[in-house]
Amino acid sequence: MNVEARISKQWRRRMLFMLFMLAGIGAWFLSDGYYYWPKEAERYRAYAQILDTLVASGDAKDADSSSVQLAWQRHAKEAGYKGSKVPKERTEAAIAEQRNIAWVLLIISALFALWVAWNHRLSVSASSDTIIGTKGQQVQFDAIEEIDRKKWKSKGIAYAVYNVGDKKRRLTLDAHKFAGCEAIITEADRRISERASVAKEQSVAESGEEV
C-alpha cells in the first residue's frame, strides 16, 4: 500500500471554529476597552454631574428621583446619544482590564493560528512495509504486535504497539486528525491477523507431526 494521511477537513474545521471563537471574543473585549466603555465612562461623568447638581440643590434625593431621570433624558437628547439609558460607571481600572484581556486573547489566537498552520505540515504515511509517523519515526508493519483502540470510539485514535529491544513503544494513528490513517490501521490489523493465522497453522502442523 501507499498512503499519505494529511490533516482532515473535520479537524481543520474544528480548529478554525476555535480560532474564530477566540479571536471573536478578543475583538469583543477590544471594542469594549477602546471604544464602547470609554464612551460610556464619558456619558457616566455627565450623568454623575447632573445627579450631584440636583442632589446638592435639593431638587432630587437620589438617582431614582424623577427629576434626575428627566434631566438626563434632556441631556442625552441634546448630546445626540443613542437612547437615554442611564450609563454604567466604567472606571479606568475596568477599562484597562478589558484591554488587557483583549490583547491576551488576541495573542493566544495568533499563537493558536501558527500552531494550526504548523500542524498542516505534518502527516502519517505508509509504504508497502513501513509506517512513518508525524515525528519521522519508522515502524515496520510486521513489527506491530497489536492495535490499541482504547481511545478509538471517543477520539478516533489508535496506537500501533511494537517493541524496540525490551521496551514497548506506541505509534499514534489519529484518524480524526489525519485523513487516511484508518486505511493504515486496517492494513496493520490485516497483517496481525495473517501472522496469527500462519502461527496457528504452524502450531497445528507441529502438533500433528509430534503425534
Side-chain angles (χ1 to χ4, degrees):
M1 70 179 304
N2 190 10
V3 175
E4 184 173 17
R6 302 196 69 86
I7 291 295
S8 68
K9 290 181 180 179
Q10 184 180 3
W11 187 86
R12 185 184 298 115
R13 283 196 298 266
R14 184 179 176 186
M15 295 303 109
L16 287 176
F17 172 78
M18 292 174 66
L19 174 60
F20 291 145
M21 184 177 67
L22 279 171
I25 295 172
W28 180 60
F29 275 96
L30 195 71
S31 63
D32 273 352
Y34 284 95
Y35 183 76
Y36 292 108
W37 281 29
K39 289 286 186 182
E40 190 166 18
E42 183 181 335
R43 292 196 300 273
Y44 181 82
R45 284 192 291 270
Y47 168 77
Q49 186 176 0
I50 291 170
L51 175 61
D52 292 343
T53 300
L54 290 174
V55 170
S57 65
D59 292 330
K61 290 184 178 181
D62 52 32
D64 294 328
S65 298
S66 59
S67 57
V68 174
Q69 303 298 323
L70 290 171
W72 170 249
Q73 288 172 9
R74 284 196 302 269
H75 175 80
K77 187 176 181 180
E78 291 169 1
Y81 298 154
K82 291 182 179 179
S84 57
K85 184 180 178 181
V86 174
K88 293 181 180 179
E89 183 179 10
R90 304 298 186 183
T91 64
E92 289 298 322
I95 292 171
E97 184 180 21
Q98 290 290 108
R99 293 174 179 177
N100 291 336
I101 292 172
W103 286 114
V104 167
L105 286 171
L106 291 175
I107 290 169
I108 290 173
S109 298
L111 293 174
F112 185 72
L114 291 173
W115 178 79
V116 171
W118 176 78
N119 270 270
H120 277 72
R121 298 172 61 251
L122 304 178
S123 66
V124 179
S125 60
S127 60
S128 57
D129 297 314
T130 308
I131 304 172
I132 302 175
T134 56
K135 297 178 182 178
Q137 63 272 52
Q138 298 187 16
V139 179
Q140 297 293 315
F141 271 108
D142 291 339
I144 298 172
E145 296 184 349
E146 63 174 313
I147 298 294
D148 181 350
R149 295 177 181 265
K150 289 178 183 177
K151 295 184 179 180
W152 181 254
K153 287 185 179 180
S154 61
K155 296 184 177 180
I157 297 175
Y159 299 97
V161 181
Y162 62 100
N163 285 326
V164 176
D166 296 331
K167 294 184 179 180
K168 287 202 172 209
R169 303 285 186 186
R170 300 194 308 173
L171 177 67
T172 302
L173 300 171
D174 190 339
H176 169 72
K177 185 174 181 179
F178 297 100
C181 260
E182 195 163 355
I184 297 172
I185 295 167
T186 300
E187 178 65 13
D189 274 331
R190 186 186 69 79
R191 297 202 185 196
I192 290 169
S193 297
E194 277 187 359
R195 291 199 305 273
S197 296
V198 170
K200 185 176 181 181
E201 288 174 3
Q202 289 177 345
S203 178
V204 170
E206 289 173 359
S207 297
E209 289 176 2
E210 288 178 2
V211 173

